[in-house]
Amino acid sequence: MKKVLFLLLFANVLSAQKMQTLTYFKNDTLQLDLDLYMPDKKPSGKLPLMIFVHGGGFSGGQRLQNASFCQYLAQHGFAAATISYTLYMKGKKFSCDGILTEKVKAFKFGVNDLWLATSYFLQNKEKFNLDDSKIFISGSSAGAETVLHAAYWDRNLMKMYEHNLPPDFKYAGLVSGAGAIMDLNLITDKNIIPMFFFHGNGDGTVPYGTAAHHYCKTDASGWLMLFGSYSIYNYALAKNASAELYTYCGGGHEYSGWLFEKEQQKIVDFLEKIMVGEKIQSHTIVKTGKKNELSCAYGFCD
């Protein structure tokens, strides 16, 4: 028994040695760090990179959330980083009784921090042996909202810092766990990228389809219309783009991190197909045994 415990402890130490904490942005008032996980074995070529953004309503959470996802990716030949970012809503209201402009500003801070992290990796691509044409982004809940807007917002119009991203830079793809975007029109034929979604269709926090954030009434001070995974997926199909959706039938917001935590191989499969140029258009409905008014509105619970 003691030998087994020692081996487990030794394995954990080795695993910890593969992770390095780095500062990707610093000014007089702010320091932003990330944890970078690299493969054990020296690769034959340059590495694809995944940048992960944690959830927490832009007010909580930490980059250690879903560190296991980054470790899993590193074991499968990816460089993977999980980042800290500005939690602008800390101490503020982010629900129906919040302030709309403040909610949008929270998105903007998260997106700009992700752009800064991306810029950091582009500037250090030789140091980390990265393939700059294979940079992916992912996140759950608030992190998913961050990656969706980072992919499709106008970087000049919405920038808060000089991120130094090339004008023609595009992410190779994104993974969104219970995410949403403010406007489908942000996604165009020119900027659309491959997308992987998973979402509970009974989510009462971030809409699975098209609805207000938290399903707020229209007279609420924090009313914000959002287009969730199902709406974006169908929009992508209409543009004949690559998109994959896992619908957790009856599931709520607790499924926002499900595949990052429990079924990472499904994400790896998607990424590997995208990297070899395969077209993906797939919708998988997963029964959870749960049922509520929101989920059954889509007809998947029959």
Side-chain angles (χ1 to χ4, degrees):
M1 184 63 181
K2 289 183 178 180
K3 185 176 181 180
V4 172
L5 290 173
F6 174 78
L7 289 174
L8 288 172
L9 178 62
F10 184 67
N12 287 333
V13 170
L14 286 179
S15 178
Q17 290 173 341
K18 299 163 197 169
M19 185 273 282
Q20 52 187 314
T21 298
L22 303 162
T23 298
Y24 70 86
F25 178 76
K26 186 175 183 179
N27 61 19
D28 292 340
T29 59
L30 178 65
Q31 177 174 317
L32 295 169
D33 296 331
L34 60 83
D35 293 336
L36 177 62
Y37 297 80
M38 301 291 282
D40 295 341
K41 298 178 182 178
K42 186 175 181 180
S44 56
K46 293 188 178 297
L47 294 168
L49 169 69
M50 173 64 81
I51 306 174
F52 179 81
V53 185
H54 67 77
F58 297 100
S59 64
Q62 55 184 329
R63 66 178 185 270
L64 286 177
Q65 287 177 230
N66 299 119
S68 59
F69 172 58
C70 291
Q71 292 170 336
Y72 189 90
L73 288 175
Q75 293 165 5
H76 288 77
F78 287 77
T82 178
I83 69 169
S84 293
Y85 60 100
T86 304
L87 300 178
Y88 181 73
M89 296 308 295
K90 193 170 185 178
K92 301 181 177 73
K93 295 179 178 179
F94 194 55
S95 191
C96 299
D97 58 348
I99 300 172
L100 174 58
T101 53
E102 291 289 271
K103 293 171 78 168
V104 175
K105 198 169 182 179
F107 281 52
K108 194 173 180 181
F109 268 105
V111 167
N112 273 266
D113 291 349
L114 178 52
W115 286 340
L116 288 172
T118 306
S119 179
Y120 171 83
F121 280 117
L122 286 176
Q123 292 169 2
N124 291 278
K125 62 182 181 181
E126 299 301 328
K127 177 180 178 180
F128 299 120
N129 192 34
L130 302 176
D131 185 337
D132 59 5
S133 70
K134 296 176 181 176
I135 298 179
F136 297 89
I137 48 177
S138 61
S140 63
S141 190
E145 293 164 345
T146 297
V147 302
L148 282 161
H149 289 87
Y152 298 120
W153 260 348
D154 183 317
R155 291 197 296 269
N156 287 322
L157 180 66
M158 302 303 286
K159 73 177 178 181
M160 301 173 70
Y161 314 103
E162 290 300 327
H163 48 66
N164 298 319
L165 290 175
D168 60 347
F169 173 79
K170 287 175 65 173
Y171 293 104
L174 66 83
V175 182
S176 166
I181 196 166
M182 295 182 202
D183 185 356
L184 285 176
N185 293 312
L186 294 170
I187 307 172
T188 67
D189 293 331
K190 185 176 179 180
N191 69 12
I192 196 166
I193 60 175
M195 295 179 283
F196 184 106
F197 304 97
F198 58 95
H199 209 142
N201 64 359
D203 193 330
T205 301
V206 179
Y208 168 76
T210 300
H213 187 218
H214 286 272
Y215 288 82
C216 299
K217 294 180 180 180
T218 51
D219 64 345
S221 60
W223 184 89
L224 173 64
M225 183 59 72
L226 289 175
F227 299 84
S229 302
Y230 186 62
S231 296
I232 307 171
Y233 171 77
N234 286 311
Y235 187 79
L237 292 193
K239 291 186 171 297
N240 199 30
S242 280
E244 184 165 3
L245 170 63
Y246 274 77
T247 295
Y248 288 89
C249 196
H253 199 60
E254 70 273 11
Y255 282 87
S256 63
W258 190 266
L259 291 185
F260 294 127
E261 299 164 4
K262 302 178 185 296
E263 298 182 75
Q264 300 100 328
Q265 187 58 45
K266 286 183 170 61
I267 298 173
V268 171
D269 291 342
F270 172 82
L271 298 175
E272 289 178 342
K273 289 174 183 177
I274 292 303
M275 288 191 293
V276 297
E278 187 173 332
K279 184 75 163 287
I280 304 172
Q281 293 181 339
S282 172
H283 183 191
T284 302
I285 299 170
V286 182
K287 293 182 179 181
T288 66
K290 301 178 180 181
K291 192 173 183 178
N292 62 37
E293 184 178 349
L294 289 175
S295 63
C296 294
Y298 297 95
F300 299 150
C301 297
D302 298 334

